[in-house]
Amino acid sequence: MPFPRDIRDLALVKSHRRCCVCHEFGGRSVNVHHIVQESDGGANALENAICLCLRCHAEAGHFNSRHPLGTKYSPTELKAHRDQWWEHCENHPDEPLGLFLDVRFKAISRTAEVHRYCLIITYTNTMREAQDGWKLRVCFPSFLPLFPGDYDRCEIRLDGEPYVQLESSSNDRVFPGESIEVVTRDVHFIEYEVNDNVHRRLRLEHKVTWQFFTPNAPVIEGEKSLSELQEF
Ligand SMILES: [Zn+2]
């Protein structure tokens, strides 16, 4: 049985419709999940409810105990994430919900000789107003063989290391609730031969950094190590 409507609504409001584990804004794809499954005696009560995005929901729900791989999400851990996030939401009721940028690499072809990845950056406008245009700045370690297409490019240094900074912008309007691909999946960002030592360096803690500017919201800034951006 699913949660009663009022419990579901309350869980969604208390979480700001964000995932309690990764804190990404879920919009319509957020799930209200049972912390302890009903088949294990979990109640349809607020105490047993957690909002999760699709990715975390799949991660938490599809752990196969016959083939344990990775670290299982325990009910205690999920509950702690939930309580921590609800407390944060309660203490920051006015925090703008608009700061949502999803950054990841996707493998587009992997043969025995050559690996090719694209960078996918998706922005969701969760503000109440439309945004007239945006600008993206993204920096990669300069040893990466980049094929960035139509970007303004310059060399910079970050923490003393050589980086390449790419910049792109658009005047297109982004409506409230709309998600756009800021970097589209037809741009190849990294391509290397598997035998090349680039492959080994990718596993080190080199990072990718980004800044995303819109006219009426704070700058979204972030960085991740190449290994976190996966799928290498
Ligand atoms: Zn999540």
Side-chain angles (χ1 to χ4, degrees):
M1 214 176 71
F3 287 105
R5 183 78 226 186
D6 57 333
I7 301 283
R8 238 177 78 80
D9 287 351
L10 190 55
L12 288 166
V13 169
K14 281 171 84 68
S15 313
H16 290 181
R17 254 190 200 259
R18 280 176 182 255
C19 175
C20 293
V21 172
C22 71
H23 307 161
E24 281 189 356
F25 181 74
R28 277 184 301 173
S29 55
V30 76
N31 279 285
V32 184
H33 176 79
H34 288 84
I35 294 174
V36 177
Q37 294 307 295
E38 285 182 285
S39 49
D40 296 328
N44 280 311
L46 188 66
E47 190 43 34
N48 193 35
I50 182 170
C51 290
L52 295 175
C53 71
L54 288 178
R55 196 172 49 203
C56 292
H57 189 249
E59 287 264 301
H62 291 169
F63 184 85
N64 185 339
S65 53
R66 276 176 294 179
H67 299 283
L69 192 66
T71 307
K72 188 179 180 173
Y73 288 76
S74 71
T76 332
E77 184 203 344
L78 287 173
K79 212 158 166 261
H81 279 300
R82 193 266 321 260
D83 291 345
Q84 182 174 275
W85 183 240
W86 282 1
E87 194 188 327
H88 176 88
C89 291
E90 208 172 313
N91 294 332
H92 302 84
D94 299 326
E95 195 164 274
L97 298 176
L99 310 182
F100 178 48
L101 195 71
D102 183 38
V103 180
R104 69 186 72 197
F105 278 101
K106 180 137 188 65
I108 44 179
S109 71
R110 274 192 285 207
T111 67
E113 295 84 33
V114 176
H115 285 188
R116 192 174 290 147
Y117 294 87
C118 64
L119 176 73
I120 300 176
I121 299 189
T122 311
Y123 171 65
T124 305
N125 179 4
T126 50
M127 306 284 281
R128 289 176 191 90
E129 316 94 58
Q131 290 169 332
D132 287 317
W134 50 264
K135 183 168 85 177
L136 172 74
R137 194 178 284 158
V138 54
C139 298
F140 296 91
S142 56
F143 71 83
L144 285 179
L146 295 176
F147 296 83
D150 210 12
Y151 281 70
D152 290 335
R153 178 182 179 125
C154 68
E155 313 285 324
I156 60 156
R157 291 190 92 79
L158 282 180
D159 309 329
E161 298 274 334
Y163 272 73
V164 174
Q165 177 179 290
L166 303 173
E167 220 174 78
S168 167
S169 60
S170 163
N171 294 324
D172 290 350
R173 174 170 272 218
V174 189
F175 291 97
E178 189 183 7
S179 289
I180 56 161
E181 277 191 0
V182 174
V183 175
T184 55
R185 52 193 79 220
D186 50 338
V187 178
H188 300 175
F189 266 81
I190 302 180
E191 185 179 299
Y192 57 88
E193 291 186 23
V194 176
N195 292 330
D196 199 321
N197 71 356
V198 167
H199 190 220
R200 267 176 286 126
R201 298 185 68 183
L202 290 174
R203 296 180 180 279
L204 303 174
E205 289 305 293
H206 292 283
K207 63 188 178 185
V208 174
T209 72
W210 56 86
Q211 290 174 302
F212 186 76
F213 306 86
T214 49
N216 50 349
V219 182
I220 305 177
E221 285 183 286
E223 62 175 59
K224 272 186 183 169
S225 65
L226 287 165
S227 52
E228 270 181 285
L229 285 163
Q230 282 303 327
E231 312 164 335
F232 290 107

